């Protein structure tokens, strides 16, 4: 499903190079559930951006579905994400001028798929927001906005879901419901899950946990 080969990411800060990822290797199999943990500022979000083609690494290769992202232009990478990948960001990235239902339907509308609104309503119901589809992001709490973002990432039934703290802004009960939804999708649709999380319960549910520290991934003991 995903292969990262000697991937590096370097930024310039005050004229000095900062190494965020250093010759990092990672292989994730189809249907696998992988948790990425690590201290704040360790580069977890950068890793997600690189592995989904939203940022280009400074070195190395990212392969998804046997396609090297370096061989794809910007439009082709966007098509790959649209057709195969669901992404949940910590900052949600909801369109403020669209209702919750319209935000969730957006990936289907862009792809020209029919029945986008019906599928959006169904997915909003699955994340517990069936009565909030007509509300705009500014009318929703942070936790509700996060659930809209999760619904949008799942509505096109991606083969890969990449999520940055998917339960981070949710209360315990709602977070547990989202965890069950993610793992049901994995079980019923074969969706591969790659989850950045500080939630030990979510990490324990995954097949393995990897810790990102000093630019490298290391297996977590017991996982």
């Amino acid at each position: 499903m995903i292969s990262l080969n000697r991937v590096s990411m370097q930024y310039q800060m005050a004229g000095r190079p900062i190494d965020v990822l250093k010759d990092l290797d990672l292989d994730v199999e189809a249907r696998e559930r992988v948790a990425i943990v690590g201290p704040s500022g360790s580069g977890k979000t950068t890793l997600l951006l690189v592995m989904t083609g939203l940022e280009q690494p400074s070195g190395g290769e990212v392969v998804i579905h046997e396609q090297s992202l370096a061989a794809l232009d910007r439009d082709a990478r966007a098509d790959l994400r649209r057709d195969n990948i669901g992404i949940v960001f910590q900052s949600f990235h909801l369109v403020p001028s669209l209702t919750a239902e319209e935000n969730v339907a957006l990936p289907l509308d862009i792809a020209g798929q029919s029945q986008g609104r019906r599928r959006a309503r169904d997915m909003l119901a699955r994340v517990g927001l069936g009565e909030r589809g007509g509300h705009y992001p500014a009318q929703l709490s942070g936790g509700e906005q996060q659930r809209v973002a999760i619904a949008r990432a799942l509505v096109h039934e991606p083969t890969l879901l990449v999520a940055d703290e998917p339960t981070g802004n949710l209360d315990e009960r709602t977070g547990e419901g989202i965890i069950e939804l993610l793992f049901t999708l994995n079980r019923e649709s074969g969706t591969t899950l790659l989850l950045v999380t500080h939630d030990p319960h979510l990490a324990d549910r995954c097949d393995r946990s990897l810790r990102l520290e000093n630019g490298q991934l290391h297996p977590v003991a017991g996982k």
Side-chain angles (χ1 to χ4, degrees):
M1 176 61 73
I2 312 173
S3 182
L4 277 64
N5 305 307
R6 299 184 64 83
V7 167
S8 298
M9 192 66 182
Q10 186 180 84
Y11 294 110
Q12 294 291 324
M13 183 174 293
R16 300 180 60 184
I18 303 296
D19 292 313
V20 180
L21 307 177
K22 304 175 186 177
D23 291 331
L24 183 148
D25 293 318
L26 173 65
D27 289 303
V28 179
E29 301 295 333
R31 305 179 71 96
E32 193 174 11
R33 303 165 299 186
V34 179
I36 305 292
V37 302
S40 297
S42 61
K44 299 186 298 297
T45 298
T46 296
L47 176 60
L48 297 191
L49 293 174
V50 167
M51 70 173 50
T52 54
L54 288 165
E55 286 198 19
Q56 296 277 32
S58 304
E61 181 182 43
V62 179
V63 178
I64 298 178
H65 284 302
E66 301 183 348
Q67 295 186 77
S68 173
L69 297 188
L72 304 177
D73 62 21
R74 183 175 181 177
D75 289 341
R77 291 195 301 272
D79 289 344
L80 179 67
R81 285 191 295 272
R82 181 196 66 203
D83 295 338
N84 298 286
I85 304 174
I87 306 174
V88 181
F89 298 100
Q90 276 188 294
S91 52
F92 313 142
H93 293 297
L94 300 179
V95 181
S97 60
L98 299 181
T99 65
E101 182 181 306
E102 290 167 340
N103 266 284
V104 175
L106 191 58
L108 303 178
D109 292 341
I110 292 173
Q113 297 186 26
S114 62
Q115 300 184 334
R117 294 299 179 87
R118 179 187 62 78
R119 291 172 62 183
R121 288 192 292 271
D122 290 345
M123 188 54 69
L124 281 170
R126 294 187 71 181
V127 299
L129 293 176
E131 303 301 319
R132 304 284 270 167
H135 291 73
Y136 292 91
Q139 298 172 310
L140 302 172
S141 69
E144 288 170 334
Q145 290 183 46
Q146 184 165 17
R147 282 185 277 167
V148 172
I150 291 169
R152 183 180 59 187
L154 298 178
V155 72
H156 63 300
E157 298 180 348
T159 56
L160 168 65
L161 178 72
V162 176
D164 196 351
E165 297 290 355
T167 60
N169 290 293
L170 305 178
D171 60 71
E172 183 176 353
R173 180 178 177 182
T174 303
E176 184 61 35
I178 292 300
I179 291 172
E180 288 302 322
L181 176 61
L182 296 179
F183 284 89
T184 296
L185 190 72
N186 166 262
R187 184 172 61 252
E188 295 180 354
S189 302
T191 301
T192 304
L193 302 179
L194 189 62
L195 311 172
V196 164
T197 184
H198 285 99
D199 184 343
H201 178 53
L202 177 54
D204 285 344
R205 291 282 299 270
C206 292
D207 299 311
R208 58 182 169 131
S209 296
L210 301 170
R211 183 174 181 83
L212 181 61
E213 198 164 18
N214 296 322
Q216 290 280 326
L217 285 170
H218 307 279
V220 174
K223 293 296 289 183

